[in-house]
Coordinates of all heavy atoms in Angstrom, one line a residue:
Chain A
Y17 N 35.7 16.0 -4.4 CA 35.3 15.6 -5.7 C 34.5 14.4 -5.9 O 33.5 14.4 -6.5 CB 36.7 15.5 -6.6 CG 36.5 15.6 -8.0 CD1 36.3 16.8 -8.6 CD2 36.5 14.5 -8.9 CE1 36.2 16.9 -10.1 CE2 36.4 14.6 -10.2 CZ 36.2 15.8 -10.8 OH 36.0 15.9 -12.2
V19 N 32.7 13.0 -3.4 CA 31.5 13.2 -2.8 C 30.5 14.1 -3.7 O 29.3 13.9 -3.7 CB 31.6 13.9 -1.4 CG1 30.3 14.4 -0.8 CG2 32.2 12.8 -0.4
N84 N 24.0 17.1 6.9 CA 22.8 18.0 6.7 C 22.9 18.6 5.4 O 23.9 18.6 4.7 CB 22.7 19.0 7.8 CG 22.5 18.3 9.1 OD1 21.8 17.2 9.2 ND2 23.1 18.9 10.2
E95 N 18.0 17.9 -7.3 CA 17.1 17.8 -6.2 C 15.7 18.4 -6.5 O 14.9 18.2 -5.6 CB 17.8 18.7 -5.0 CG 17.7 20.2 -5.2 CD 18.8 20.9 -4.3 OE1 19.9 20.4 -4.2 OE2 18.5 22.0 -3.8
Q129 N 41.4 2.7 -9.4 CA 40.2 2.3 -8.9 C 39.1 3.3 -9.3 O 38.0 2.9 -9.6 CB 40.4 2.4 -7.3 CG 39.3 1.7 -6.6 CD 39.5 1.6 -5.1 OE1 40.6 1.8 -4.6 NE2 38.4 1.5 -4.4
M133 N 35.8 2.4 -11.9 CA 34.4 2.7 -11.5 C 33.7 3.6 -12.6 O 32.6 3.4 -12.9 CB 34.3 3.6 -10.2 CG 34.4 3.0 -9.0 SD 34.3 4.2 -7.8 CE 35.5 3.7 -6.6
K139 N 29.2 2.9 -19.2 CA 28.4 1.9 -20.0 C 26.9 2.2 -19.6 O 26.0 2.1 -20.4 CB 28.8 0.5 -19.7 CG 30.1 0.1 -20.3 CD 30.3 -1.4 -20.1 CE 31.8 -1.7 -20.5 NZ 32.6 -2.1 -19.3
L145 N 21.4 7.7 -21.6 CA 21.3 8.8 -22.5 C 20.4 8.3 -23.7 O 19.5 9.1 -24.2 CB 22.7 9.2 -23.1 CG 22.8 10.2 -24.1 CD1 22.2 11.5 -23.6 CD2 24.3 10.5 -24.5
F176 N 19.1 25.9 -14.5 CA 20.0 25.0 -13.7 C 21.0 24.3 -14.4 O 21.8 23.5 -13.8 CB 19.1 24.0 -13.0 CG 18.2 24.6 -12.0 CD1 16.8 24.8 -12.4 CD2 18.5 25.0 -10.8 CE1 15.9 25.4 -11.4 CE2 17.7 25.6 -9.9 CZ 16.4 25.8 -10.1
D192 N 45.0 19.3 -12.4 CA 46.5 19.3 -12.3 C 47.0 17.9 -12.0 O 48.1 17.5 -12.4 CB 47.0 20.3 -11.3 CG 46.8 21.8 -11.8 OD1 46.5 22.0 -12.9 OD2 46.9 22.7 -11.0

Side-chain angles (χ1 to χ4, degrees):
Chain A
Y17 196 77
V19 167
N84 295 327
E95 72 201 38
Q129 196 172 339
M133 276 181 222
K139 291 192 191 104
L145 180 59
F176 296 99
D192 290 344

